[in-house]
PDB file of all heavy atoms in Angstrom:
ATOM      1  N   VAL A  53     -20.943  87.737 -23.487  1.00  0.00           N
ATOM      2  CA  VAL A  53     -21.426  86.382 -23.235  1.00  0.00           C
ATOM      3  C   VAL A  53     -22.974  86.308 -23.343  1.00  0.00           C
ATOM      4  O   VAL A  53     -23.527  85.400 -23.959  1.00  0.00           O
ATOM      5  CB  VAL A  53     -20.908  85.844 -21.912  1.00  0.00           C
ATOM      6  CG1 VAL A  53     -21.599  84.515 -21.534  1.00  0.00           C
ATOM      7  CG2 VAL A  53     -19.435  85.684 -21.921  1.00  0.00           C
ATOM      8  N   LEU A  54     -23.634  87.286 -22.704  1.00  0.00           N
ATOM      9  CA  LEU A  54     -25.070  87.335 -22.762  1.00  0.00           C
ATOM     10  C   LEU A  54     -25.595  87.518 -24.177  1.00  0.00           C
ATOM     11  O   LEU A  54     -26.583  86.887 -24.599  1.00  0.00           O
ATOM     12  CB  LEU A  54     -25.601  88.483 -21.868  1.00  0.00           C
ATOM     13  CG  LEU A  54     -25.365  88.289 -20.339  1.00  0.00           C
ATOM     14  CD1 LEU A  54     -25.822  89.491 -19.575  1.00  0.00           C
ATOM     15  CD2 LEU A  54     -26.133  87.040 -19.846  1.00  0.00           C
ATOM     16  N   PHE A  55     -24.938  88.363 -24.962  1.00  0.00           N
ATOM     17  CA  PHE A  55     -25.303  88.551 -26.332  1.00  0.00           C
ATOM     18  C   PHE A  55     -25.168  87.259 -27.095  1.00  0.00           C
ATOM     19  O   PHE A  55     -26.009  86.863 -27.913  1.00  0.00           O
ATOM     20  CB  PHE A  55     -24.521  89.683 -26.945  1.00  0.00           C
ATOM     21  CG  PHE A  55     -24.882  90.040 -28.343  1.00  0.00           C
ATOM     22  CD1 PHE A  55     -26.043  90.813 -28.630  1.00  0.00           C
ATOM     23  CD2 PHE A  55     -24.202  89.520 -29.425  1.00  0.00           C
ATOM     24  CE1 PHE A  55     -26.396  91.091 -29.888  1.00  0.00           C
ATOM     25  CE2 PHE A  55     -24.556  89.814 -30.747  1.00  0.00           C
ATOM     26  CZ  PHE A  55     -25.675  90.586 -30.966  1.00  0.00           C
ATOM     27  N   ASP A  56     -24.079  86.585 -26.871  1.00  0.00           N
ATOM     28  CA  ASP A  56     -23.834  85.332 -27.598  1.00  0.00           C
ATOM     29  C   ASP A  56     -24.883  84.268 -27.233  1.00  0.00           C
ATOM     30  O   ASP A  56     -25.420  83.539 -28.100  1.00  0.00           O
ATOM     31  CB  ASP A  56     -22.431  84.774 -27.258  1.00  0.00           C
ATOM     32  CG  ASP A  56     -21.349  85.608 -27.895  1.00  0.00           C
ATOM     33  OD1 ASP A  56     -21.635  86.419 -28.769  1.00  0.00           O
ATOM     34  OD2 ASP A  56     -20.153  85.386 -27.555  1.00  0.00           O
ATOM     35  N   VAL A  57     -25.227  84.262 -25.947  1.00  0.00           N
ATOM     36  CA  VAL A  57     -26.248  83.275 -25.511  1.00  0.00           C
ATOM     37  C   VAL A  57     -27.575  83.602 -26.159  1.00  0.00           C
ATOM     38  O   VAL A  57     -28.297  82.694 -26.630  1.00  0.00           O
ATOM     39  CB  VAL A  57     -26.340  83.254 -24.003  1.00  0.00           C
ATOM     40  CG1 VAL A  57     -27.559  82.415 -23.527  1.00  0.00           C
ATOM     41  CG2 VAL A  57     -25.038  82.721 -23.373  1.00  0.00           C
ATOM     42  N   GLN A  58     -27.935  84.903 -26.193  1.00  0.00           N
ATOM     43  CA  GLN A  58     -29.234  85.332 -26.794  1.00  0.00           C
ATOM     44  C   GLN A  58     -29.239  85.041 -28.256  1.00  0.00           C
ATOM     45  O   GLN A  58     -30.241  84.565 -28.801  1.00  0.00           O
ATOM     46  CB  GLN A  58     -29.454  86.810 -26.526  1.00  0.00           C
ATOM     47  CG  GLN A  58     -30.828  87.310 -27.023  1.00  0.00           C
ATOM     48  CD  GLN A  58     -31.028  88.770 -26.664  1.00  0.00           C
ATOM     49  OE1 GLN A  58     -30.107  89.465 -26.167  1.00  0.00           O
ATOM     50  NE2 GLN A  58     -32.219  89.268 -26.988  1.00  0.00           N
ATOM     51  N   GLU A  59     -28.107  85.205 -28.894  1.00  0.00           N
ATOM     52  CA  GLU A  59     -28.019  84.963 -30.304  1.00  0.00           C
ATOM     53  C   GLU A  59     -28.159  83.438 -30.613  1.00  0.00           C
ATOM     54  O   GLU A  59     -28.834  83.087 -31.511  1.00  0.00           O
ATOM     55  CB  GLU A  59     -26.669  85.463 -30.845  1.00  0.00           C
ATOM     56  CG  GLU A  59     -26.483  85.323 -32.357  1.00  0.00           C
ATOM     57  CD  GLU A  59     -27.409  86.233 -33.154  1.00  0.00           C
ATOM     58  OE1 GLU A  59     -27.935  87.198 -32.556  1.00  0.00           O
ATOM     59  OE2 GLU A  59     -27.606  85.933 -34.317  1.00  0.00           O
ATOM     60  N   VAL A  60     -27.526  82.666 -29.783  1.00  0.00           N
ATOM     61  CA  VAL A  60     -27.636  81.185 -29.981  1.00  0.00           C
ATOM     62  C   VAL A  60     -29.060  80.721 -29.752  1.00  0.00           C
ATOM     63  O   VAL A  60     -29.595  79.893 -30.479  1.00  0.00           O
ATOM     64  CB  VAL A  60     -26.652  80.463 -29.044  1.00  0.00           C
ATOM     65  CG1 VAL A  60     -26.913  78.957 -29.081  1.00  0.00           C
ATOM     66  CG2 VAL A  60     -25.187  80.744 -29.464  1.00  0.00           C
ATOM     67  N   ASP A  61     -29.706  81.233 -28.742  1.00  0.00           N
ATOM     68  CA  ASP A  61     -31.108  80.899 -28.421  1.00  0.00           C
ATOM     69  C   ASP A  61     -32.005  81.301 -29.584  1.00  0.00           C
ATOM     70  O   ASP A  61     -32.919  80.522 -29.981  1.00  0.00           O
ATOM     71  CB  ASP A  61     -31.516  81.571 -27.131  1.00  0.00           C
ATOM     72  CG  ASP A  61     -32.946  81.183 -26.717  1.00  0.00           C
ATOM     73  OD1 ASP A  61     -33.133  79.967 -26.423  1.00  0.00           O
ATOM     74  OD2 ASP A  61     -33.803  82.053 -26.703  1.00  0.00           O
ATOM     75  N   THR A  62     -31.757  82.480 -30.093  1.00  0.00           N
ATOM     76  CA  THR A  62     -32.602  82.902 -31.215  1.00  0.00           C
ATOM     77  C   THR A  62     -32.369  82.035 -32.442  1.00  0.00           C
ATOM     78  O   THR A  62     -33.324  81.656 -33.150  1.00  0.00           O
ATOM     79  CB  THR A  62     -32.228  84.397 -31.595  1.00  0.00           C
ATOM     80  OG1 THR A  62     -32.470  85.228 -30.414  1.00  0.00           O
ATOM     81  CG2 THR A  62     -33.047  84.892 -32.741  1.00  0.00           C
ATOM     82  N   HIS A  63     -31.111  81.632 -32.649  1.00  0.00           N
ATOM     83  CA  HIS A  63     -30.785  80.756 -33.776  1.00  0.00           C
ATOM     84  C   HIS A  63     -31.458  79.418 -33.601  1.00  0.00           C
ATOM     85  O   HIS A  63     -31.997  78.875 -34.624  1.00  0.00           O
ATOM     86  CB  HIS A  63     -29.287  80.655 -33.852  1.00  0.00           C
ATOM     87  CG  HIS A  63     -28.846  79.868 -35.079  1.00  0.00           C
ATOM     88  ND1 HIS A  63     -29.042  80.339 -36.393  1.00  0.00           N
ATOM     89  CD2 HIS A  63     -28.204  78.701 -35.182  1.00  0.00           C
ATOM     90  CE1 HIS A  63     -28.554  79.487 -37.245  1.00  0.00           C
ATOM     91  NE2 HIS A  63     -28.022  78.472 -36.528  1.00  0.00           N
ATOM     92  N   ILE A  64     -31.425  78.880 -32.422  1.00  0.00           N
ATOM     93  CA  ILE A  64     -32.086  77.603 -32.154  1.00  0.00           C
ATOM     94  C   ILE A  64     -33.608  77.654 -32.391  1.00  0.00           C
ATOM     95  O   ILE A  64     -34.194  76.767 -33.001  1.00  0.00           O
ATOM     96  CB  ILE A  64     -31.766  77.092 -30.738  1.00  0.00           C
ATOM     97  CG1 ILE A  64     -30.309  76.749 -30.608  1.00  0.00           C
ATOM     98  CG2 ILE A  64     -32.634  75.899 -30.364  1.00  0.00           C
ATOM     99  CD1 ILE A  64     -29.835  76.430 -29.227  1.00  0.00           C
ATOM    100  N   ASP A  65     -34.198  78.768 -31.898  1.00  0.00           N
ATOM    101  CA  ASP A  65     -35.640  78.948 -32.081  1.00  0.00           C
ATOM    102  C   ASP A  65     -36.010  79.040 -33.558  1.00  0.00           C
ATOM    103  O   ASP A  65     -36.997  78.452 -34.006  1.00  0.00           O
ATOM    104  CB  ASP A  65     -36.063  80.211 -31.299  1.00  0.00           C
ATOM    105  CG  ASP A  65     -37.592  80.378 -31.357  1.00  0.00           C
ATOM    106  OD1 ASP A  65     -38.314  79.605 -30.655  1.00  0.00           O
ATOM    107  OD2 ASP A  65     -38.064  81.229 -32.148  1.00  0.00           O
ATOM    108  N   THR A  66     -35.183  79.732 -34.307  1.00  0.00           N
ATOM    109  CA  THR A  66     -35.462  79.895 -35.740  1.00  0.00           C
ATOM    110  C   THR A  66     -35.376  78.540 -36.456  1.00  0.00           C
ATOM    111  O   THR A  66     -36.218  78.221 -37.248  1.00  0.00           O
ATOM    112  CB  THR A  66     -34.459  80.871 -36.333  1.00  0.00           C
ATOM    113  OG1 THR A  66     -34.580  82.139 -35.641  1.00  0.00           O
ATOM    114  CG2 THR A  66     -34.689  81.102 -37.802  1.00  0.00           C
ATOM    115  N   LEU A  67     -34.309  77.823 -36.142  1.00  0.00           N
ATOM    116  CA  LEU A  67     -34.142  76.511 -36.781  1.00  0.00           C
ATOM    117  C   LEU A  67     -35.274  75.561 -36.432  1.00  0.00           C
ATOM    118  O   LEU A  67     -35.722  74.816 -37.282  1.00  0.00           O
ATOM    119  CB  LEU A  67     -32.763  75.930 -36.378  1.00  0.00           C
ATOM    120  CG  LEU A  67     -31.523  76.628 -36.927  1.00  0.00           C
ATOM    121  CD1 LEU A  67     -30.267  75.936 -36.378  1.00  0.00           C
ATOM    122  CD2 LEU A  67     -31.517  76.529 -38.484  1.00  0.00           C
ATOM    123  N   THR A  68     -35.710  75.599 -35.185  1.00  0.00           N
ATOM    124  CA  THR A  68     -36.773  74.678 -34.746  1.00  0.00           C
ATOM    125  C   THR A  68     -38.088  75.055 -35.462  1.00  0.00           C
ATOM    126  O   THR A  68     -38.833  74.181 -35.890  1.00  0.00           O
ATOM    127  CB  THR A  68     -36.954  74.776 -33.250  1.00  0.00           C
ATOM    128  OG1 THR A  68     -35.711  74.551 -32.599  1.00  0.00           O
ATOM    129  CG2 THR A  68     -37.989  73.805 -32.767  1.00  0.00           C
ATOM    130  N   THR A  69     -38.365  76.363 -35.566  1.00  0.00           N
ATOM    131  CA  THR A  69     -39.584  76.780 -36.240  1.00  0.00           C
ATOM    132  C   THR A  69     -39.541  76.386 -37.709  1.00  0.00           C
ATOM    133  O   THR A  69     -40.572  75.922 -38.258  1.00  0.00           O
ATOM    134  CB  THR A  69     -39.721  78.283 -36.104  1.00  0.00           C
ATOM    135  OG1 THR A  69     -39.717  78.654 -34.721  1.00  0.00           O
ATOM    136  CG2 THR A  69     -41.058  78.753 -36.725  1.00  0.00           C
ATOM    137  N   GLN A  70     -38.459  76.597 -38.378  1.00  0.00           N
ATOM    138  CA  GLN A  70     -38.372  76.280 -39.787  1.00  0.00           C
ATOM    139  C   GLN A  70     -38.457  74.793 -40.056  1.00  0.00           C
ATOM    140  O   GLN A  70     -38.943  74.399 -41.077  1.00  0.00           O
ATOM    141  CB  GLN A  70     -37.064  76.901 -40.383  1.00  0.00           C
ATOM    142  CG  GLN A  70     -37.059  78.421 -40.332  1.00  0.00           C
ATOM    143  CD  GLN A  70     -35.708  78.960 -40.791  1.00  0.00           C
ATOM    144  OE1 GLN A  70     -34.763  78.174 -41.098  1.00  0.00           O
ATOM    145  NE2 GLN A  70     -35.598  80.249 -41.003  1.00  0.00           N
ATOM    146  N   SER A  71     -37.873  73.916 -39.158  1.00  0.00           N
ATOM    147  CA  SER A  71     -37.761  72.497 -39.419  1.00  0.00           C
ATOM    148  C   SER A  71     -38.751  71.712 -38.577  1.00  0.00           C
ATOM    149  O   SER A  71     -38.582  70.502 -38.379  1.00  0.00           O
ATOM    150  CB  SER A  71     -36.345  72.002 -39.098  1.00  0.00           C
ATOM    151  OG  SER A  71     -35.407  72.709 -39.837  1.00  0.00           O
ATOM    152  N   ALA A  72     -39.816  72.305 -38.092  1.00  0.00           N
ATOM    153  CA  ALA A  72     -40.769  71.578 -37.241  1.00  0.00           C
ATOM    154  C   ALA A  72     -41.442  70.439 -37.955  1.00  0.00           C
ATOM    155  O   ALA A  72     -41.532  69.296 -37.431  1.00  0.00           O
ATOM    156  CB  ALA A  72     -41.781  72.582 -36.707  1.00  0.00           C
ATOM    157  N   LEU A  73     -41.923  70.661 -39.180  1.00  0.00           N
ATOM    158  CA  LEU A  73     -42.642  69.616 -39.904  1.00  0.00           C
ATOM    159  C   LEU A  73     -41.710  68.418 -40.215  1.00  0.00           C
ATOM    160  O   LEU A  73     -42.135  67.246 -40.090  1.00  0.00           O
ATOM    161  CB  LEU A  73     -43.231  70.188 -41.206  1.00  0.00           C
ATOM    162  CG  LEU A  73     -44.316  71.249 -41.042  1.00  0.00           C
ATOM    163  CD1 LEU A  73     -44.766  71.801 -42.373  1.00  0.00           C
ATOM    164  CD2 LEU A  73     -45.540  70.642 -40.281  1.00  0.00           C
ATOM    165  N   SER A  74     -40.498  68.721 -40.666  1.00  0.00           N
ATOM    166  CA  SER A  74     -39.542  67.657 -41.021  1.00  0.00           C
ATOM    167  C   SER A  74     -39.162  66.868 -39.727  1.00  0.00           C
ATOM    168  O   SER A  74     -39.027  65.622 -39.796  1.00  0.00           O
ATOM    169  CB  SER A  74     -38.309  68.215 -41.684  1.00  0.00           C
ATOM    170  OG  SER A  74     -37.656  69.152 -40.850  1.00  0.00           O
ATOM    171  N   LEU A  75     -39.012  67.582 -38.591  1.00  0.00           N
ATOM    172  CA  LEU A  75     -38.647  66.890 -37.343  1.00  0.00           C
ATOM    173  C   LEU A  75     -39.808  65.968 -36.910  1.00  0.00           C
ATOM    174  O   LEU A  75     -39.575  64.841 -36.518  1.00  0.00           O
ATOM    175  CB  LEU A  75     -38.320  67.880 -36.264  1.00  0.00           C
ATOM    176  CG  LEU A  75     -37.024  68.686 -36.432  1.00  0.00           C
ATOM    177  CD1 LEU A  75     -36.869  69.693 -35.312  1.00  0.00           C
ATOM    178  CD2 LEU A  75     -35.846  67.688 -36.382  1.00  0.00           C
ATOM    179  N   LEU A  76     -41.048  66.501 -37.009  1.00  0.00           N
ATOM    180  CA  LEU A  76     -42.174  65.687 -36.601  1.00  0.00           C
ATOM    181  C   LEU A  76     -42.354  64.469 -37.517  1.00  0.00           C
ATOM    182  O   LEU A  76     -42.666  63.327 -37.063  1.00  0.00           O
ATOM    183  CB  LEU A  76     -43.488  66.503 -36.628  1.00  0.00           C
ATOM    184  CG  LEU A  76     -43.583  67.626 -35.557  1.00  0.00           C
ATOM    185  CD1 LEU A  76     -44.796  68.497 -35.778  1.00  0.00           C
ATOM    186  CD2 LEU A  76     -43.557  67.005 -34.184  1.00  0.00           C
ATOM    187  N   SER A  77     -42.122  64.712 -38.816  1.00  0.00           N
ATOM    188  CA  SER A  77     -42.218  63.571 -39.760  1.00  0.00           C
ATOM    189  C   SER A  77     -41.152  62.520 -39.442  1.00  0.00           C
ATOM    190  O   SER A  77     -41.415  61.289 -39.489  1.00  0.00           O
ATOM    191  CB  SER A  77     -42.072  64.103 -41.190  1.00  0.00           C
ATOM    192  OG  SER A  77     -42.076  63.021 -42.087  1.00  0.00           O
ATOM    193  N   TYR A  78     -39.931  63.000 -39.161  1.00  0.00           N
ATOM    194  CA  TYR A  78     -38.832  62.047 -38.907  1.00  0.00           C
ATOM    195  C   TYR A  78     -39.152  61.245 -37.634  1.00  0.00           C
ATOM    196  O   TYR A  78     -38.943  60.045 -37.565  1.00  0.00           O
ATOM    197  CB  TYR A  78     -37.537  62.888 -38.770  1.00  0.00           C
ATOM    198  CG  TYR A  78     -36.330  62.009 -38.361  1.00  0.00           C
ATOM    199  CD1 TYR A  78     -35.731  61.176 -39.279  1.00  0.00           C
ATOM    200  CD2 TYR A  78     -35.869  62.052 -37.059  1.00  0.00           C
ATOM    201  CE1 TYR A  78     -34.610  60.405 -38.953  1.00  0.00           C
ATOM    202  CE2 TYR A  78     -34.787  61.303 -36.692  1.00  0.00           C
ATOM    203  CZ  TYR A  78     -34.169  60.463 -37.617  1.00  0.00           C
ATOM    204  OH  TYR A  78     -33.065  59.717 -37.275  1.00  0.00           O
ATOM    205  N   THR A  79     -39.651  61.995 -36.580  1.00  0.00           N
ATOM    206  CA  THR A  79     -39.963  61.349 -35.339  1.00  0.00           C
ATOM    207  C   THR A  79     -41.036  60.329 -35.525  1.00  0.00           C
ATOM    208  O   THR A  79     -40.984  59.184 -34.968  1.00  0.00           O
ATOM    209  CB  THR A  79     -40.357  62.380 -34.290  1.00  0.00           C
ATOM    210  OG1 THR A  79     -39.320  63.353 -34.161  1.00  0.00           O
ATOM    211  CG2 THR A  79     -40.631  61.685 -32.939  1.00  0.00           C
ATOM    212  N   GLN A  80     -42.091  60.673 -36.379  1.00  0.00           N
ATOM    213  CA  GLN A  80     -43.190  59.709 -36.564  1.00  0.00           C
ATOM    214  C   GLN A  80     -42.693  58.470 -37.301  1.00  0.00           C
ATOM    215  O   GLN A  80     -43.116  57.328 -37.027  1.00  0.00           O
ATOM    216  CB  GLN A  80     -44.294  60.392 -37.361  1.00  0.00           C
ATOM    217  CG  GLN A  80     -45.529  59.532 -37.542  1.00  0.00           C
ATOM    218  CD  GLN A  80     -46.636  60.262 -38.272  1.00  0.00           C
ATOM    219  OE1 GLN A  80     -46.405  61.395 -38.732  1.00  0.00           O
ATOM    220  NE2 GLN A  80     -47.797  59.603 -38.427  1.00  0.00           N
ATOM    221  N   THR A  81     -41.816  58.683 -38.244  1.00  0.00           N
ATOM    222  CA  THR A  81     -41.280  57.548 -39.009  1.00  0.00           C
ATOM    223  C   THR A  81     -40.492  56.616 -38.075  1.00  0.00           C
ATOM    224  O   THR A  81     -40.632  55.384 -38.130  1.00  0.00           O
ATOM    225  CB  THR A  81     -40.360  58.027 -40.118  1.00  0.00           C
ATOM    226  OG1 THR A  81     -41.110  58.902 -41.013  1.00  0.00           O
ATOM    227  CG2 THR A  81     -39.844  56.863 -40.945  1.00  0.00           C
TER     228      THR A  81
END
Side-chain angles (χ1 to χ4, degrees):
V53 171
L54 292 175
F55 183 80
D56 289 348
V57 171
Q58 185 178 5
E59 183 67 19
V60 171
D61 182 65
T62 302
H63 186 65
I64 292 174
D65 184 74
T66 302
L67 291 177
T68 305
T69 303
Q70 294 176 355
S71 303
L73 294 178
S74 59
L75 288 175
L76 292 175
S77 176
Y78 177 75
T79 304
Q80 184 179 6
T81 303

